[in-house]
Amino acid sequence: MYSKKYRSLTISSISCTLLLASCAGPESYQQKMSRYEPKAISQNIVPEIKVNDFKFIDELHSTDKTAKRSPASAPENPTLESEGNEGATTNKKLYFLTLYSEYETLKKYTPEFAATNSMICPNFHTSLLRHLDGAAPSNTTSVTSTLKYDTQKFNDEKYVSSRPELLLPMSQTEVTPKVIDLIKNSKEQISDFAINELVHKALDIHLAKTYSEIRELCEYGNSDNYYIYENLITHIKNNTFAPGNKNMNTLLKTTVFSNIALMTSLEKSSVKTLSRAIASKDESPKKNTYANEIITRLNVSWANQYFNYIKESH
């Protein structure tokens, strides 16, 4: 439910249909999550996040150390064995663990989203248990996230592309309309409060779709997006996949990479209020990420240049 304050601030040109739950009555947890129960394997539509004329550096011949830095926003997880080694995490398990850990991280930016932290996962039961046992201890009990934007730059494609949460769709089944579409098509000035509400509602939709895919993976062992990721692995193995906008856009068509872009941007755009002191240094696990393992296996460390660009452009 949106507050009365939000309804008074939101302009009439943004209909309650586009804002989805803004005009709906209160729902129970069971009602909310029943919409996302996997009836069959279906595609979790990936948001249209694209690079806007970014110049990549050739890492093989560059002395620029920033080109190879990892995205700071990727979730922390236990160290994984590389594919091909004894006891290695398979590509399918790695995809599942990456998506699940990204889902956990993104939830912190939209505390209104209601979903369980526990689930029955027959296809990845052991992997999920190991992840939960070895994951970093939570250093907050809640996060209040306020997003800050320069409203004068919403017509600047480069500015918008470096804040991919503005490109999230406001629909569960289509890639449009996007948050930025509603903002730009408004006939009146939209308030900062309303912009935040739009982004958080889009994140709710994105997380609901991600949750649905995770449930599908748990129940069926596959998802359409996993097959897209598997095809990406094959494509990279069989072709030259050099640094460039075209190939970066190909990576961003997979949900695990688009989520890295989202997490990187949200980490820098958010003004957070933490409700619990940071955990002690002794509680910190080994710093490695499932996302970084995917980047390593695909041999696309140059993609970190784009994620660093997002981080530094805020």
Side-chain angles (χ1 to χ4, degrees):
M1 285 286 290
Y2 286 103
S3 65
K4 292 181 180 179
K5 179 181 178 183
Y6 172 66
R7 289 197 294 269
S8 65
L9 289 172
T10 305
I11 59 177
S12 58
S13 60
I14 301 179
S15 69
C16 64
T17 300
L18 290 174
L19 290 179
L20 301 173
S22 62
C23 297
E27 288 183 295
S28 68
Y29 164 79
Q30 290 80 8
Q31 288 174 319
K32 285 183 178 181
M33 298 319 299
S34 66
R35 296 200 305 268
Y36 312 118
E37 292 295 315
K39 306 298 189 298
I41 295 180
S42 58
Q43 187 175 1
N44 168 16
I45 298 176
V46 182
E48 286 186 336
I49 297 173
K50 295 183 178 180
V51 179
N52 185 270
D53 194 26
F54 178 74
K55 185 177 181 180
F56 287 88
I57 298 170
D58 184 349
E59 295 179 352
L60 293 177
H61 304 95
S62 174
T63 58
D64 186 352
K65 295 181 180 179
T66 64
K68 297 185 179 182
R69 289 185 303 181
S70 300
S73 60
E76 294 181 357
N77 294 289
T79 301
L80 297 173
E81 294 292 338
S82 299
E83 184 76 3
N85 291 344
E86 185 178 355
T89 299
T90 65
N91 285 325
K92 185 179 290 186
K93 288 180 181 178
L94 180 57
Y95 175 86
F96 169 79
L97 291 169
T98 304
L99 188 65
Y100 184 85
S101 60
E102 289 174 341
Y103 168 76
E104 288 181 311
T105 298
L106 287 169
K107 279 199 303 181
K108 298 176 183 178
Y109 296 100
T110 175
E112 295 297 320
F113 180 75
T116 181
N117 288 322
S118 61
M119 64 179 70
I120 299 173
C121 194
N123 280 286
F124 301 97
H125 177 73
T126 301
S127 296
L128 183 57
L129 286 180
R130 287 177 178 173
H131 163 77
L132 295 174
D133 287 341
S138 176
N139 60 7
T140 65
T141 55
S142 65
V143 176
T144 300
S145 175
T146 301
L147 305 169
K148 298 293 185 180
Y149 301 104
D150 185 344
T151 58
Q152 302 301 313
K153 294 184 178 180
F154 282 151
N155 288 316
D156 184 342
E157 291 186 5
K158 189 172 184 179
Y159 178 86
V160 172
S161 67
S162 66
R163 289 153 179 81
E165 66 274 14
L166 296 174
L167 300 174
L168 287 174
M170 297 295 297
S171 168
Q172 296 176 23
T173 57
E174 305 290 340
V175 294
T176 57
K178 303 172 184 176
V179 172
I180 192 62
D181 295 333
L182 300 190
I183 294 172
K184 291 171 67 174
N185 291 335
S186 298
K187 295 180 180 179
E188 302 175 28
Q189 182 69 34
I190 186 169
S191 68
D192 291 341
F193 179 86
I195 291 171
N196 267 263
E197 290 293 319
L198 285 173
V199 173
H200 282 104
K201 176 52 61 179
L203 278 171
D204 286 347
I205 294 170
H206 181 72
L207 281 167
K209 293 189 297 183
T210 304
Y211 177 85
S212 180
E213 183 182 356
I214 290 169
R215 289 294 304 271
E216 290 174 9
L217 287 162
C218 284
E219 186 168 338
Y220 303 110
N222 288 298
S223 69
D224 278 2
N225 280 352
Y226 172 70
Y227 289 126
I228 292 172
Y229 172 70
E230 200 172 57
N231 289 336
L232 173 67
I233 294 173
T234 302
H235 175 74
I236 291 176
K237 285 182 177 179
N238 296 333
N239 298 274
T240 300
F241 203 73
N245 290 335
K246 180 180 178 180
N247 286 338
M248 188 69 231
N249 286 334
T250 297
L251 294 178
L252 290 171
K253 290 179 181 177
T254 63
T255 188
V256 290
F257 279 93
S258 63
N259 280 340
I260 297 173
L262 276 172
M263 291 186 297
T264 304
S265 180
L266 288 169
E267 181 180 317
K268 299 301 293 185
S269 294
S270 299
V271 176
K272 307 170 191 175
T273 302
L274 309 182
S275 62
R276 182 184 152 202
I278 296 176
S280 67
K281 292 182 180 179
D282 292 339
E283 294 174 317
S284 299
K286 295 180 180 179
K287 291 188 176 180
N288 201 349
T289 69
Y290 298 128
N292 284 341
E293 179 70 16
I294 281 182
I295 289 171
T296 299
R297 289 189 187 184
L298 295 179
N299 195 27
V300 291
S301 61
W302 51 264
N304 287 325
Q305 296 177 42
Y306 168 67
F307 301 130
N308 290 330
Y309 160 73
I310 291 178
K311 180 173 61 178
E312 293 165 2
S313 67
H314 285 62

